[in-house]
RNA sequence: GCGGACGUGGCGAAAUGGUAGACGCAAGGGACUUAAAAUCCCUUGGGGGAAACCCUGUGCGGGUUCGAGUCCCGCCGUCCGCACCA
């Protein structure tokens, strides 16, 4: 073998060999235990970045471990290939989006291969292929049939830079998720929506089953779904026979209601204006409040604005009439667009009423308290620690009890109703762009909205289109596409020219991997039955809400139409940390990007992988260091030299049975052999346990380094024959097995050099030997009153009595005992002694 | 405001309630070399001491415990998500 470690040569050799041997190709084998490792599919933006690398090698380490544990491992990859950047690039460079996309895929595909990630490449998909996106259209039609896809005119979030609509989930701080400095504007448009709200409760309830998902992801989703339980209450108003419905979660405070606030967009507002004594003046106020309304705000603490409408509403509980005010903080999109104002017990109402001189009436006080002379802030106790006052029949009840009683009474009397509100809104999926899945709908003057029949799918994207980035949907300018015939009456009709949000594409792609060829259905149910659920999904936290909630929604719909028989597709989720450099996320704008290609060229893929995993636990952000990576490189060079030194001698040494079954007779081991093998099996124990659950690969690699250091210390003993060749071989083989999870190419190269003909992935993961891992002598710290005062060495089996005696005899300890009375001696077996003195 | 995570050397970090700082980076010293690189060896939380050792130390203040970086309570600070959501 080459005495020098040449990563480039080794890595290309093994990548070729693995491909030839079809090492990572998996087939469904009913009856055989399976493991599905999935990483979030990348957008082919041009080049792989370090965040991708981190994502994929975490999955790769796991996949390789699972293969060696004997699982049938599905580890696929694909491309989230539709989307805006392709279109923008097309405009800029006069290249067709498909061309730009496929050349990026080609580049990134090669980069992944260069990293040696263990993918089954036969299963690769790209969502822009008609064979794929026709099924997006199919899902859309199914949802349409079920009433889950619908069209409505609505105010939408519009990004002027993207020239398209954004889903609520894609608006970040009032700005576009792709253009963080561009405020979203509002537009009224006819749009297609998917009724995710129909599954709001299921999405929330089913989270209970997601016990292996990170708590913060669940918390974020729960937040986003935003369930709150409360009641509607009807307030009569003095403007015709209209009534005004409000939503509250604190019906118990209704006797403290001193006003009603409504959103300026509320449908009642025009009627109030019409009936107002000074309609012009009120209309001006409405416009003013609208302009300062919450949706337009970018700063968080918007000043409260309001105006009295001059009308009043009647509180059905006490018959009291209170003024109706327009308020800029009331959201039309949530609840009913109207709220009762209880300034004493809601901070926003408190601020508003103070600012506008509206009365404040306390109706809840602490259990043993009284109404304060003056409130400084709203008192918001809602549980058992409060007590109602000024609330006629309900006085003395706790808020908790009052809520139940008052809701029931309101229902009985017909002016109220228990209800549940969700914050999540339906998913707007129409995009006024070209590079996406055409929405399979047709508009006919006679028949209205008509779905494209399933047999006519896919509705293909026309290849010829002029892209300018301006105006409406590009597809509208392609007459051959737009003009069609109505599937129902055969008359002339127009096609829908919007395309789908690309998050539709990524909501079910991981099903397609199980059979990416099937042409008769979106998924192969037998294959899905074998491979699902995804055992481990790995990706960035930034998808916590968007993708990870859409994908859950899709699965629930798939269950409903009988495609799958489960409701959650992913058993375990892992969210990795970001890759940071110089304190900021790597980005082209900041110029702190580290290119995987450069790292591979300079150090090789194995070093890139090893360093990325060694730098810290994978869930934490990783601060990239150009110097620390040298350490990873040095380590691999050292291991290479270490093994190379013995490789020649190894080849001839009897390998005996498989690594996992090979037993060395403990009793016959020499001291240095014992020491070396102890370290081997301790390391193996640590790595095995860690791979099963904790995934702190940094500590695994540290342990492997320690093992290598231990072997280096014993090298002289090995050279002099005090460690027999079969023991050296066992040590090095175990080291390589473990290393292969993190640096697979060099591990296979060295494995071959030590006389093996099959890649490591074909070996069984060895079990650690408890007997060999055990220490036979222990150093036990001795404390006096909890402070370390000495150390004793005892045999592992030493009796408590002996440990106690030895501890007290220790000279360092003796000094501190100093003749004082020993109150207690705590002996923790194998661990420590603590002598308590007075 | 609500929810979540976190706070340990010069740096990345490690530590089932049991020897704080494993492993690595950086730094300093030494060996090898004509020289450099590479490699190898030693030192490295702070303070004291010639040394054995001693004192001190995990954001701050309390508590539980024989024993707390770890558990509990209260602060301070950082990061992330949601947010006038009634």
């Amino acid at each position: 073998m080459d005495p020098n470690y040449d990563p480039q040569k080794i890595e290309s050799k093994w990548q070729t060999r693995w491909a030839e041997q079809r090492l990572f190709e998996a087939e469904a084998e009913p009856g055989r235990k399976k493991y599905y490792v999935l990483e979030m599919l990348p957008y082919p933006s041009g080049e792989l970045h370090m965040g991708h690398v981190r994502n994929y090698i975490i999955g790769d380490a796991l996949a390789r471990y699972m293969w060696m544990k004997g699982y049938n491992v599905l580890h696929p990859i694909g491309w989230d290939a539709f989307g805006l950047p392709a279109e923008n690039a097309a405009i800029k460079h006069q290249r067709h989006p498909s061309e730009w996309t496929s050349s990026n895929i080609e580049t990134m595909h090669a980069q992944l291969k260069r990293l040696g990630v263990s993918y089954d490449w036969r299963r690769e998909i790209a969502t822009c292929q008609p064979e794929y996106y026709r099924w997006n259209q199919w899902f859309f039609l199914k949802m349409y049939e079920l009433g889950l896809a619908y069209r409505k005119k609505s105010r939408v979030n519009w990004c002027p830079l993207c020239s398209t609509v954004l889903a609520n989930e894609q608006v970040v701080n009032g700005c576009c998720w792709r253009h963080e400095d561009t405020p979203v504007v509002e537009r009224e448009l006819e749009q297609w929506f998917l009724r995710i709200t129909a599954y709001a409760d299921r999405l929330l309830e089913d989270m209970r089953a997601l016990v292996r998902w990170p708590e913060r992801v669940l918390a974020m989703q729960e937040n986003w779904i935003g369930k709150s339980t409360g009641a509607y209450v009807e307030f009569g108003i003095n403007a015709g026979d209209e009534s005004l419905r409000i939503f509250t979660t604190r019906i118990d405070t209704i006797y403290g209601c001193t006003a009603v606030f409504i959103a300026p967009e509320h449908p009642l507002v025009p009627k109030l204006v019409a009936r107002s004594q000074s309609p012009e003046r009120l209309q001006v106020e409405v416009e003013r409040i609208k302009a300062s309304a919450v949706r337009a705000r970018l700063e968080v603490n918007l000043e409260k604005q309001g105006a009295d409408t001059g009308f009043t509403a009647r509180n059905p509980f006490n018959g009291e009439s209170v003024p109706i005010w327009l308020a800029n903080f009331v959201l039309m999109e949530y609840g009913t667009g109207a709220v009762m104002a209880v300034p004493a017990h809601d901070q926003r109402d408190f601020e508003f009423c103070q600012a506008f001189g509206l009365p404040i009436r306390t109706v809840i006080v602490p259990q043993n308290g009284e109404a304060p002379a003056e409130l400084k802030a709203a008192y918001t106790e809602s549980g058992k620690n409060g007590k109602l006052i000024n609330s006629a029949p309900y006085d003395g009840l706790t808020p908790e009890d009052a809520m139940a009683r008052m809701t029931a009474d309101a229902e009985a009397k017909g002016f109220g109703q228990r209800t549940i509100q969700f914050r999540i809104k339906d998913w707007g999926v129409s995009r006024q762009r070209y590079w996406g899945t055409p929405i399979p709908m047709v508009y006919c003057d006679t028949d209205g909205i008509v779905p494209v029949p399933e047999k006519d799918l896919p509705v293909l994207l026309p290849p010829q289109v002029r892209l300018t980035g301006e105006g409406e949907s590009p597809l509208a300018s392609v007459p051959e596409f737009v003009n069609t015939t109505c599937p129902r009456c055969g008359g002339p009709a127009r096609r829908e020219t919007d395309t789908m949000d690309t998050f539709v594409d990524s909501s079910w792609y991981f099903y397609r991997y199980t059979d990416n060829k099937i042409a008769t259905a979106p998924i192969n149910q037998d294959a899905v039955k074998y491979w699902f659920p995804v055992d481990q999904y790995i990706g960035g936290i930034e998808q916590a809400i968007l993708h990870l909630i859409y994908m859950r929604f899709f699965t629930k719909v798939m269950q409903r139409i009988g495609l799958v028989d489960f409701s959650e597709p992913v058993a375990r989720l892992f969210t990795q940390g970001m890759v940071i450099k110089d304190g900021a996320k790597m980005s082209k704008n900041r110029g702190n990007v580290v290119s995987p290609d450069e790292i591979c060229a300079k150090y090789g893929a194995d070093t890139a992988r090893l360093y990325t995993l060694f730098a810290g636990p994978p869930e934490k952000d990783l601060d990239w260091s150009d110097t620390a990576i040298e350490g990873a490189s040095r380590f691999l060079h050292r291991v290479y030299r270490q093994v190379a030194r013995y490789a020649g001698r190894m080849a001839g040494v009897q390998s005996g049975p498989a690594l996992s079954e090979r037993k060395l007779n403990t009793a016959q081991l020499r001291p240095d052999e014992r020491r070396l093998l102890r370290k081997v099996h301790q390391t193996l124990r640590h790595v095995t346990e860690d791979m099963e659950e904790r995934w702190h690969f940094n500590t695994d690699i540290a342990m492997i380094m320690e093992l290598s250091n231990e072997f280096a210390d014993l090298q002289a003993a090995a050279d002099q024959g005090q460690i027999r060749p079969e023991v050296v071989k066992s040590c090095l083989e175990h080291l390589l097995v473990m290393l292969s999870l993190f640096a697979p190419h060099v591990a296979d190269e060295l494995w071959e050099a030590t006389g093996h003909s099959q890649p490591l992935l074909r070996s069984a993961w060895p079990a650690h030997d408890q007997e060999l891992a055990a220490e036979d002598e222990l150093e036990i710290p001795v404390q006096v009153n909890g402070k370390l005062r000495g150390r004793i060495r005892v045999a592992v089996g030493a009796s408590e009595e002996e440990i106690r005696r030895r501890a007290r005899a220790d000279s360092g300890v003796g000094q501190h005992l100093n003749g004082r009375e020993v109150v207690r001696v705590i002996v923790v077996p194998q661990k420590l002694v603590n002598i308590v003195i007075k």
Side-chain angles (χ1 to χ4, degrees):
Chain A
M1 73 184 285
D2 192 331
N4 293 308
Y5 173 38
D6 179 349
Q8 313 301 334
K9 205 170 114 196
I10 289 174
E11 288 168 9
S12 84
K13 166 182 166 184
W14 285 98
Q15 282 155 16
T16 307
R17 182 90 55 96
W18 294 337
E20 282 167 4
Q21 297 201 5
R22 307 171 68 176
L23 201 59
F24 312 125
E25 296 183 6
E27 291 301 336
E29 291 175 44
R32 182 172 167 203
K33 60 184 181 177
K34 64 88 188 178
Y35 198 87
Y36 186 175
V37 192
L38 178 69
E39 293 118 45
M40 289 183 184
L41 93 172
Y43 180 77
S45 55
E47 299 230 335
L48 234 46
H49 55 70
M50 276 301 168
H52 288 127
V53 173
R54 192 178 198 199
N55 191 168
Y56 307 142
I57 62 179
I58 291 169
D60 198 49
L62 179 66
R64 288 173 185 272
Y65 175 74
M66 286 298 168
W67 275 117
M68 287 194 269
K69 287 289 277 189
Y71 286 82
N72 191 20
V73 177
L74 178 60
H75 191 206
I77 192 73
W79 308 96
D80 188 13
F82 272 139
L84 210 45
E87 213 165 320
N88 293 339
I91 295 163
K92 205 167 158 190
H93 307 300
Q94 297 301 308
R95 274 175 93 189
H96 194 274
S98 70
E99 221 182 279
W100 184 85
T101 304
S102 43
S103 96
N104 287 349
I105 289 177
E106 211 176 302
T107 307
M108 293 170 77
H109 179 116
Q111 289 181 303
L112 284 176
K113 291 215 154 167
R114 179 67 192 83
L115 283 165
V117 186
S118 62
Y119 291 129
D120 183 346
W121 287 102
R122 299 169 308 156
R123 297 174 182 272
E124 185 177 8
I125 57 171
T127 58
C128 62
Q129 295 160 340
E131 303 77 51
Y132 184 84
Y133 73 69
R134 70 174 291 179
W135 300 110
N136 286 341
Q137 295 172 338
W138 185 88
F139 278 117
F140 191 92
L141 293 176
K142 289 291 168 197
M143 292 201 202
Y144 182 75
E145 271 171 40
L146 292 168
L148 293 172
Y150 66 97
R151 188 168 164 84
K152 75 169 180 199
K153 188 163 196 168
S154 71
R155 297 187 316 168
V156 293
N157 312 300
W158 178 271
C159 173
L161 279 191
C162 297
S163 305
T164 189
V165 163
L166 301 176
N168 293 308
E169 289 82 352
Q170 293 163 344
V171 179
V172 180
N173 292 330
C175 294
C176 172
W177 68 304
R178 305 194 55 91
H179 301 102
E180 290 171 20
D181 305 318
T182 306
V184 167
V185 298
E186 243 175 53
R187 280 204 176 184
E188 282 259 301
L189 281 179
E190 284 267 333
Q191 295 286 295
W192 285 99
F193 287 85
L194 298 183
R195 207 181 295 279
I196 193 169
T197 54
Y199 288 86
D201 229 351
R202 288 275 315 275
L203 287 166
L204 195 62
E205 285 304 307
D206 291 353
M207 284 198 303
R208 289 177 213 266
L210 303 180
V211 291
R212 306 267 268 169
W213 280 42
E215 212 178 317
R216 67 172 163 162
V217 172
L218 297 177
M220 281 160 79
Q221 292 207 358
E222 189 175 339
N223 230 322
W224 188 258
I225 295 167
K227 179 178 182 171
S228 52
T229 305
Y232 293 132
V233 181
E234 304 287 344
F235 278 58
I237 60 174
N238 66 340
D241 22 325
E242 310 270 351
S243 74
L244 182 56
R245 168 180 276 201
I246 62 104
F247 170 69
T248 180
T249 55
R250 292 295 307 275
I251 198 171
D252 57 305
T253 66
I254 200 166
Y255 283 81
C257 169
T258 55
V260 168
F261 297 154
I262 59 174
E265 300 87 358
H266 196 285
L268 184 66
V269 169
K271 296 174 187 167
L272 295 182
V273 170
R275 286 174 196 157
S276 171
Q277 301 199 333
S278 46
E280 294 81 10
R281 221 185 57 207
L282 185 54
Q283 186 58 39
V284 170
E285 292 289 0
V286 170
E287 294 308 326
R288 184 174 66 82
I289 305 299
K290 239 183 219 170
S292 73
V294 171
R295 284 191 61 100
R297 87 191 176 326
L298 283 177
E299 72 270 37
V300 172
N301 285 318
L302 186 79
E303 199 190 333
K304 292 201 167 39
Q305 302 275 339
D308 192 351
T309 61
F311 294 93
T312 61
R314 192 168 162 279
N315 181 342
F317 273 89
N318 58 9
E320 200 175 336
S321 281
V322 295
I324 302 173
W325 282 64
L326 297 161
N328 66 339
F329 69 90
V330 179
L331 303 165
M332 192 58 227
E333 298 74 18
Y334 184 77
T336 63
V339 301
M340 65 176 193
V342 183
H345 307 293
D346 180 284
Q347 188 59 26
R348 294 155 305 182
D349 297 348
F350 181 79
E351 285 164 22
F352 190 99
C353 290
Q354 272 208 325
F356 293 95
L358 290 161
I360 296 171
R361 183 193 304 151
T362 293
V363 291
I364 311 277
V365 293
Q367 271 296 337
N368 301 315
E370 286 177 11
E374 194 199 355
L375 270 182
K376 295 228 160 46
Y379 176 65
T380 57
E381 169 61 39
S382 62
K384 291 186 168 66
N385 299 323
K387 167 178 87 178
L388 269 73
I389 61 168
N390 297 330
S391 301
Y394 306 100
D395 281 352
L397 292 179
T398 63
E400 202 176 79
D401 293 341
M403 273 185 230
R405 287 267 295 274
M406 292 165 84
T407 306
D409 290 353
E411 281 186 339
K413 290 174 186 163
F415 55 70
Q417 194 192 340
R418 188 190 134 84
T419 184
I420 290 167
Q421 295 289 315
F422 291 96
R423 247 166 23 92
I424 191 170
K425 293 180 196 117
D426 280 337
W427 173 14
V429 293
S430 297
R431 295 292 181 273
Q432 293 68 42
R433 301 299 305 208
Y434 166 72
W435 193 232
T437 305
I439 295 175
M441 289 288 167
V442 163
Y443 302 98
C444 167
D445 288 338
T446 320
D447 294 305
I449 298 176
V450 182
V452 173
E454 224 177 286
K455 66 173 174 50
D456 294 341
L457 298 185
V459 176
L460 288 169
L461 266 182
Q464 299 299 330
V465 65
R466 215 174 69 85
L467 297 170
T468 60
E470 285 155 17
E472 301 302 319
S473 305
L475 289 178
S477 65
V478 185
E480 313 86 87
F481 176 82
V482 178
N483 298 321
T484 182
T485 50
C486 170
R488 202 162 288 160
C489 68
R494 306 182 72 250
R495 281 192 194 281
E496 167 68 62
T497 56
D498 286 351
T499 54
M500 292 183 205
D501 182 1
T502 57
F503 278 97
V504 172
D505 313 356
S506 55
S507 290
W508 67 281
Y509 75 98
F510 44 92
Y511 288 99
R512 191 73 186 171
Y513 286 140
T514 64
D515 180 347
N516 62 345
K517 306 282 190 310
I518 188 167
T520 52
I523 66 169
N524 175 335
Q525 296 197 41
D526 289 334
V528 167
K529 193 159 255 152
Y530 177 73
W531 289 113
F532 267 70
V534 173
D535 294 280
Q536 182 67 63
Y537 197 15
I538 305 162
I541 185 70
E542 63 276 6
Q543 293 301 338
I545 294 176
L546 287 159
H547 164 60
L548 290 173
I549 212 161
Y550 293 145
M551 133 203 129
R552 295 182 57 217
F553 163 61
F554 252 70
T555 293
K556 289 172 204 309
V557 174
M558 289 166 76
Q559 184 185 30
R560 178 154 162 202
I561 60 184
L563 278 177
V564 300
D565 57 5
F566 47 84
S567 62
E568 289 292 341
V570 171
R572 190 175 177 190
L573 174 70
F574 185 87
T575 48
Q576 67 190 79
M578 285 188 301
V579 180
I580 303 284
K581 184 147 187 277
D582 311 321
K585 190 176 177 174
M586 282 188 188
S587 80
K588 280 184 192 154
N589 292 341
R590 295 193 188 88
N592 60 349
V593 176
V594 174
S595 141
D597 284 347
E598 281 171 38
I599 297 296
C600 283
K602 191 166 176 193
Y603 302 103
D606 281 337
T607 294
R609 297 163 65 123
L610 192 77
Y611 168 68
T612 305
L613 295 176
F614 179 62
E619 69 276 11
K620 274 186 68 169
D621 285 350
L622 184 163
D623 205 340
W624 185 271
S625 156
D626 289 327
T627 51
I629 192 171
E630 304 270 355
S633 176
R634 276 203 282 268
F635 172 68
L636 292 182
H637 276 93
R638 192 157 60 234
V639 169
Y640 189 92
R641 282 196 302 273
Q642 232 166 22
V643 180
R645 204 177 135 90
Y646 292 94
R649 289 176 254 172
M650 287 304 83
V653 174
Q654 183 60 39
S655 251
L659 194 54
S660 56
E661 294 152 28
R662 199 177 313 150
K663 264 290 214 190
L664 289 156
N665 189 333
T666 314
Q668 290 170 5
L669 291 175
R670 301 165 194 174
D672 284 338
E673 293 178 337
R674 183 78 185 80
R675 182 178 149 197
L676 183 61
L677 289 172
R678 178 178 299 128
K679 191 72 184 175
V680 166
H681 286 270
Q682 287 176 344
T683 307
L684 187 58
R685 177 171 63 197
H686 177 97
V687 174
T688 304
E689 287 171 2
D690 192 74
M691 289 307 298
E692 292 292 335
E693 188 61 43
R694 205 176 66 140
W695 287 17
H696 280 194
F697 308 118
N698 53 327
T699 64
D700 301 338
I701 294 167
M703 290 285 289
I704 295 170
M705 287 172 169
E706 284 187 49
L707 174 58
S708 165
N709 292 345
E710 184 88 347
F711 181 68
D713 283 351
L714 291 168
Q715 197 158 299
D719 290 345
Q720 290 158 18
Q722 283 151 31
I723 298 176
R724 286 166 290 176
E726 56 264 40
V727 175
V728 169
K729 184 163 188 170
S730 173
C731 168
L732 296 178
E733 284 178 337
H734 279 92
L735 184 132
L736 294 175
V737 173
M738 292 186 274
L739 188 64
S740 76
L741 302 178
F742 313 115
H745 308 86
V746 67
D748 259 342
E749 177 70 9
L750 296 172
W751 183 249
E752 185 184 55
T754 50
H756 297 272
S757 56
Q758 285 295 313
L760 270 156
L761 203 75
R762 295 263 192 256
S763 316
W765 184 261
H768 69 270
D769 185 322
Q770 283 291 12
E771 201 185 325
L772 286 172
E775 300 282 353
D776 40 27
E777 209 188 33
L778 289 174
E779 189 185 74
I780 294 187
V782 182
Q783 300 179 331
V784 175
N785 282 353
K787 290 200 174 187
L788 179 68
R789 296 303 181 192
R791 296 181 177 86
I792 54 172
R793 291 201 69 88
V794 297
V796 163
S799 69
E800 197 177 312
E801 222 17 74
E802 187 191 345
I803 292 172
R804 198 179 289 257
R805 187 170 48 73
R806 291 275 312 281
R808 294 183 72 155
D810 184 84
S811 64
V813 172
Q815 273 176 35
H816 288 87
L817 292 183
N818 209 5
R820 288 158 72 185
E821 184 191 347
V822 173
V823 183
R824 235 178 118 178
V825 178
I826 287 138
V827 178
V828 184
Q830 323 261 314
K831 281 282 185 199
L832 146 154
V833 177
N834 189 10
I835 301 173
V836 186
I837 58 173
K838 249 201 309 213

